[in-house]
Amino acid sequence: MFRKFKRNVGDVLDFPPDVVGEGPKITIIGRQQILVENYISVITFSDEEIRLETTEGDVCFKGKGLELKVLLATELRIEGELFALSFREER
């Protein structure tokens, strides 16, 4: 019920979905830096692939020289050369 209330208030006040929701917010700066907010956990990581669990399914970043530069409870920063971004729906 509260989740529905939050969406209705957000609609009325015209808040963007990333402010109201709990889903991931992904910001890509060029091909070298990725900021991810509201992720649940890191599933796998290597210098070629980083896969994250989110409330909306898994998010996979593929590239070269990928590194987790900042790793906090609700946000992280990835640096390296990004080749691809893909989503996988919830299980």
Side-chain angles (χ1 to χ4, degrees):
M1 181 174 156
F2 184 66
R3 179 170 267 169
K4 184 177 179 181
F5 178 73
K6 284 190 338 185
R7 285 197 180 116
N8 290 337
V9 170
D11 291 342
V12 170
L13 297 176
D14 201 26
F15 287 154
D18 62 315
V19 172
V20 177
E22 296 176 3
K25 179 179 177 184
I26 301 168
T27 305
I28 300 173
I29 302 167
R31 293 180 72 159
Q32 277 66 42
Q33 192 175 77
I34 305 153
L35 306 171
V36 182
E37 298 175 59
N38 300 330
Y39 75 99
I40 295 172
S41 67
V42 177
I43 299 171
T44 61
F45 69 93
S46 70
D47 63 339
E48 294 180 349
E49 178 181 281
I50 296 177
R51 184 177 301 272
L52 306 175
E53 178 186 6
T54 75
T55 58
E56 296 181 3
D58 295 352
V59 179
C60 181
F61 302 95
K62 291 190 179 191
K64 180 179 176 184
L66 299 179
E67 296 180 10
L68 290 171
K69 289 292 191 173
V70 175
L71 184 60
L72 303 172
T74 60
E75 63 184 69
L76 59 82
R77 186 176 78 211
I78 300 168
E79 291 185 2
E81 188 175 357
L82 179 66
F83 296 154
L85 165 66
S86 62
F87 296 91
R88 186 172 167 192
E89 289 191 35
E90 283 185 272
R91 297 174 193 124

